[in-house]
Amino acid sequence: MNTKSHLRTRMLCEGALMVALAQILGYLKLAEAPNGGSITFAMFPIILFAVRWGLRPGLMAGFLFGLLQLIFDGAYAWGWQSMLLDYLVAFTPLGLAGLFRGKSWGLFAGTLAGCLARFAIHYISGVTVYKILAPTEFLNWTFSSPALYSLVYNGSYMLPNTIITLLISVVLYVPLKRFILGLDLK
């Protein structure tokens, strides 16, 4: 019997597990950029949770994951603005995947929406906060434009992260379809 209280407790437990799993997966870095940002499998659990439970729980899970990244992952930041934008604000929009709750294609659209929003926040941070580094070198290129530097730098890890999350979604969609769509909650 799925009472409202039971579902809320289940949502909180699943959220805690998914945030913890994301944190653990965040330590398994495939690559790491010199000024923060890495390529990991960590976004998938947050996006999966958001698509399963909806926007508000998804945004909260993204925020909590960002907070854990800030506290435990050796935050790379240039002041409080960078800490706020690159961690708390940037990871929260992964929960936008919750806008696609219950849709058969929601996991894929949610991944794109959450990752694009996270990239946008990192881009804004790069243009506003990290402009103090200009001119700077990255990938053997010298950038004098903070906008171009932010686009290339943040794209260098966000594009692979988005692709990885989409690939995980493709592989797990069929075996987890009932779970992803929340059919077990009805």
Side-chain angles (χ1 to χ4, degrees):
M1 179 154 138
N2 286 329
T3 66
K4 191 173 185 175
S5 174
H6 172 80
L7 286 176
R8 181 166 170 75
T9 302
R10 184 170 175 174
M11 183 262 303
L12 290 171
C13 290
E14 284 183 23
L17 288 171
M18 291 300 179
V19 170
L21 178 60
Q23 184 65 24
I24 291 166
L25 291 173
Y27 291 128
L28 306 174
K29 294 177 169 60
L30 302 176
E32 192 166 9
N35 295 328
S38 57
I39 300 171
T40 71
F41 303 103
M43 290 192 302
F44 179 76
I46 303 301
I47 290 172
L48 174 63
F49 176 76
V51 169
R52 182 167 161 73
W53 289 98
L55 182 62
R56 287 182 71 192
L59 292 172
M60 184 56 80
F63 176 82
L64 292 173
F65 178 51
L67 182 62
L68 290 178
Q69 288 288 292
L70 177 64
I71 294 170
F72 294 115
D73 199 36
Y76 187 90
W78 287 79
W80 67 268
Q81 302 93 335
S82 175
M83 293 169 75
L84 181 67
L85 281 173
D86 286 322
Y87 292 94
L88 302 179
V89 176
F91 285 91
T92 301
L94 292 176
L96 290 175
L99 291 170
F100 303 97
R101 179 182 183 190
K103 309 280 190 236
S104 60
W105 43 268
L107 187 58
F108 308 105
T111 295
L112 292 175
C115 291
L116 183 61
R118 179 178 166 202
F119 169 77
I121 301 299
H122 286 303
Y123 175 79
I124 291 167
S125 175
V127 171
T128 58
V129 177
Y130 287 90
K131 68 182 176 188
I132 61 173
L133 296 177
T136 191
E137 279 192 28
F138 181 65
L139 300 174
N140 294 324
W141 295 338
T142 301
F143 294 91
S144 57
S145 164
L148 185 57
Y149 171 70
S150 185
L151 181 71
V152 172
Y153 185 88
N154 292 304
S156 74
Y157 65 89
M158 280 305 301
L159 182 59
N161 277 331
T162 303
I163 292 168
I164 287 169
T165 305
L166 283 170
L167 288 174
I168 294 170
S169 299
V170 167
V171 169
L172 295 180
Y173 184 76
V174 171
L176 295 180
K177 184 176 182 179
R178 181 171 168 72
F179 180 78
I180 292 166
L181 295 175
L183 299 176
D184 61 322
L185 302 175
K186 297 178 184 191

